[in-house]
Amino acid sequence: MSYLSVILALSFVLVAVVISVRENLELEKDLMIGTFRAFVQLIAIGFILKFIFEMEKWPYIVVMIGFMVLAAARNAEKRGQGVKNVFPMLLLAISMGEILTMGMMLGLKIIPFQAQYVIPISGMIIGNGMVASALTLNRVKAEIESRREEILVLLGLGATARQASSSTLQASLKSALIPTVDSLKTVGIVQLPGMMTGLIIGGVSPLVAVKYQLVVMLMITSTVSITAMIVAYFAYSKFFTERHQLI
Amino acid sequence: MQAKFLLEKVGYEVEASGTQGRQRILSDVGITIPAGQIFTITGPSGSGKSSLLYLLNLLRDPTTGVIFLDGQNMAEMNVLEVRRKVGIVFQKPFMFKGSVRENLLLGPKLKGSESRYSPEDLLEMMGLEREMARKEAILLSGGEQQRVSLARALANEPDVLLLDEVTSALDADSACSVEKLVKALCEEKGITVVWVTHDMEQLMRVGDNSLLLIDGRVAFTGTSDEFKHQYFPSKREMNTELFTDGRL
């Protein structure tokens, strides 16, 4: 693919701009800024990845992953306004998702410890962890707000904060896991996932691409479960005092 | 007269929403709640009645002052044990999904023990049919749900029952039967009842001693008869006008 083709692809954005103008959505400015940022960010990351792949040294890989975790936690933090110490909690949850899932992949020798495998797959783990933690955080807040009456009745009966939040935790974890479970059910029927599509376009046999895609999807299921559970358990506790009182 | 609760200079503040400051809900409340009696708390809306109940159940802690329960400083007591000993029933009955039986077993299940009373016994105590245990709790009428809420609190075998306007959403007949039940519980089982009510006639009917709160401060405390002589000297009808007709 030539650079000219990429530039010509900008015309696709023009379609969205025309719709925005026609329907008075006032999204033209955001579309332009978004497109510009996508260009700059992707070109920058392209150069950074090229550099890291050529160096092939573990400290670069670790720094890169650290940066991705920080950016993901910062982004998910916006969903947790009003929750105390939300940033360290997100940092821990997303890091744990990455460490455990990547640890399993490396430990089971599913992928080798090479930048070209570890960094893109970490990107998928961290990205999914970010979405799962934002969804969980949002849901914990909303559930506690809507279940105040139920929680007070349970506390009044002598429940601990954990017992009184049991329904909240269940609903929040479910809401984080459902999109992953749904995509497991529909993959290959409704959609061909990004990684598989990329490999096929890159000339890899569809059967090999399927193997990678299966590993990635199972890995995402593990990441989402780990991250959502850590976020849910930390987040609910921020709504209670040490004396099991709802704040 | 043995004190169940003793409150010394109790104050309670909360973060005021939308501003930086704090809002004072209760100030300098000093009262004694006798054991084994019905103690009523009344006052206009926003006078701090429900907040006071929350302090007695440790759903909130006082900002200043001390509350003693059976002579022990509540700040030093195990919160969960206090809540099992001091049951609370809220204004609006809340039923959990599942049968009445499941609702009634909830309190003992939370502490991992069994109640002395079976769900059927509790229903009978509340003047309800034993067969009701099998029914879906959320399908009961408001009056039945409130009686099941009382029964659910009793399953923990509490020494104290805190009632937060428990009859305000009920019709006159249901309210009357709840009053009778609570009075019987107090007399037969020696349970101390702290009852928040807006209804002056109810206060006179059920209360041995009463507290009137105005703007979070004690405006009156004494027997219900003394309350009646002070605020209703003539035989005029007693109703919530007390809080709106300029006498307070």
Side-chain angles (χ1 to χ4, degrees):
Chain A
M1 191 188 294
S2 68
Y3 282 109
L4 180 66
S5 311
V6 177
I7 289 163
L8 286 175
L10 277 174
S11 56
F12 295 125
V13 180
L14 283 178
V15 175
V17 170
V18 168
I19 291 172
S20 173
V21 171
R22 201 183 129 84
E23 301 295 326
N24 262 336
L25 304 180
E26 295 179 359
L27 287 174
E28 306 87 85
K29 196 176 159 196
D30 283 337
L31 277 166
M32 299 306 230
I33 293 171
T35 308
F36 178 73
R37 280 187 61 166
F39 260 79
V40 173
Q41 285 164 200
L42 286 175
I43 289 169
I45 201 69
F47 279 109
I48 293 169
L49 287 178
K50 187 170 180 287
F51 171 74
I52 295 174
F53 290 177
E54 282 168 4
M55 297 304 287
E56 199 56 70
K57 284 191 176 142
W58 71 265
Y60 290 105
I61 301 174
V62 172
V63 168
M64 182 70 198
I65 291 172
F67 175 77
M68 291 193 298
V69 170
L70 267 176
R74 189 59 75 191
N75 194 45
E77 188 186 10
K78 290 173 199 155
R79 300 278 178 183
Q81 276 172 356
V83 181
K84 273 186 197 167
N85 300 324
V86 68
F87 182 67
M89 171 185 83
L90 289 165
L91 210 54
L92 174 79
I94 297 171
S95 305
M96 287 309 286
E98 162 70 5
I99 291 167
L100 293 175
T101 311
M102 183 50 76
M104 275 194 285
M105 296 196 80
L106 292 172
L108 297 172
K109 301 200 185 307
I110 295 169
I111 56 163
F113 187 72
Q114 285 173 16
Q116 75 174 91
Y117 292 97
V118 173
I119 290 176
I121 289 177
S122 290
M124 281 187 252
I125 295 174
I126 293 164
N128 280 281
M130 176 183 78
V131 173
S133 46
L135 272 176
T136 313
L137 204 49
N138 223 15
R139 193 61 188 259
V140 169
K141 273 170 70 180
E143 287 288 326
I144 288 198
E145 206 44 57
S146 68
R147 289 177 189 264
R148 282 191 86 82
E149 205 184 332
E150 173 187 339
I151 293 171
L152 278 176
V153 170
L154 283 166
L155 292 175
L157 285 170
T160 60
R162 167 73 184 82
Q163 287 171 323
S165 312
S166 160
S167 307
T168 297
L169 288 171
Q170 275 177 7
S172 308
L173 286 173
K174 261 190 184 173
S175 81
L177 281 168
I178 281 173
T180 310
V181 174
D182 282 349
S183 70
L184 275 176
K185 285 184 195 162
T186 58
V187 68
I189 302 170
V190 179
Q191 38 142 358
L192 285 182
M195 186 185 194
M196 189 170 148
T197 313
L199 287 172
I200 294 171
I201 290 171
V204 172
S205 147
L207 290 178
V208 175
V210 161
K211 261 197 314 191
Y212 276 98
Q213 190 58 51
L214 271 173
V215 169
V216 163
M217 294 209 67
L218 300 175
M219 165 197 92
I220 287 170
T221 312
S222 137
T223 305
V224 167
S225 315
I226 294 167
T227 317
M229 201 179 74
I230 295 175
V231 170
Y233 275 77
F234 268 90
Y236 95 83
S237 66
K238 306 289 177 197
F239 290 88
F240 292 88
T241 67
E242 282 177 7
R243 280 163 65 81
H244 306 278
Q245 292 159 336
L246 183 60
I247 294 169
Chain B
M1 186 180 66
Q2 199 193 339
K4 179 53 88 174
F5 289 101
L6 176 65
L7 284 78
E8 287 181 353
K9 295 190 171 189
V10 169
Y12 176 57
E13 290 177 357
V14 291
E15 297 284 341
S17 56
T19 60
Q20 294 291 314
R22 291 175 70 78
Q23 189 187 346
R24 187 168 278 270
I25 307 292
L26 293 167
S27 308
D28 214 17
V29 175
I31 52 165
T32 301
I33 299 179
Q37 293 189 2
I38 299 182
F39 186 89
T40 49
I41 302 175
T42 194
S45 297
S47 57
K49 306 183 294 293
S50 298
S51 297
L52 184 52
L53 277 198
Y54 281 28
L55 298 185
L56 299 181
N57 188 255
L58 291 183
L59 283 171
R60 296 278 180 268
D61 283 324
T63 317
T64 55
V66 191
I67 304 177
F68 294 95
L69 169 60
D70 290 327
Q72 262 188 289
N73 183 348
M74 287 184 82
E76 292 160 6
M77 293 174 80
N78 179 306
V79 178
L80 302 179
E81 277 172 22
V82 167
R83 291 196 192 139
R84 286 160 190 161
K85 197 172 165 181
V86 181
I88 187 164
V89 182
F90 299 94
Q91 184 174 7
K92 202 173 142 205
F94 183 90
M95 291 291 107
F96 293 91
K97 208 174 148 192
S99 66
V100 170
R101 161 180 274 276
E102 285 169 292
N103 270 269
L104 295 176
L105 291 173
L106 197 56
K109 193 176 149 193
L110 287 168
K111 64 173 173 176
S113 68
E114 279 187 20
S115 175
R116 185 151 52 105
Y117 310 113
S118 72
E120 288 77 11
D121 290 344
L122 288 164
L123 289 171
E124 206 168 82
M125 263 190 242
M126 293 296 114
L128 297 166
E129 288 178 5
R130 295 175 76 88
E131 290 71 39
M132 188 180 271
R134 289 197 300 270
K135 284 191 179 173
E136 191 66 28
I138 52 169
L139 298 179
L140 303 181
S141 70
E144 287 169 336
Q145 288 194 3
Q146 196 57 293
R147 279 189 272 178
V148 171
S149 300
L150 268 169
R152 191 171 55 195
L154 286 175
N156 272 345
E157 301 168 45
D159 294 346
V160 181
L161 260 186
L162 308 175
L163 309 179
D164 192 1
E165 304 204 39
V166 288
T167 58
S168 64
L170 306 184
D171 59 62
D173 284 347
S174 302
C176 191
S177 75
V178 168
E179 278 178 20
K180 280 183 191 162
L181 282 166
V182 173
K183 283 184 89 164
L185 282 170
C186 182
E187 282 161 17
E188 289 163 19
K189 299 195 184 300
I191 293 176
T192 305
V193 178
V194 184
W195 193 328
V196 166
T197 181
H198 248 102
D199 182 339
M200 292 299 123
E201 289 185 358
Q202 184 174 63
L203 182 146
M204 296 303 163
R205 279 196 302 270
V206 301
D208 298 305
N209 287 280
S210 298
L211 163 71
L212 171 65
L213 283 175
I214 307 281
D215 292 332
R217 290 181 180 276
V218 175
F220 169 89
T221 181
T223 66
S224 298
D225 282 340
E226 287 165 351
F227 184 86
K228 185 178 176 183
H229 288 303
Q230 187 159 339
Y231 292 100
F232 304 100
S234 66
K235 288 207 167 186
R236 59 180 288 179
E237 193 185 335
M238 289 179 290
N239 55 30
T240 53
E241 281 173 23
L242 176 65
F243 305 127
T244 53
D245 65 4
R247 273 183 287 164
L248 295 172

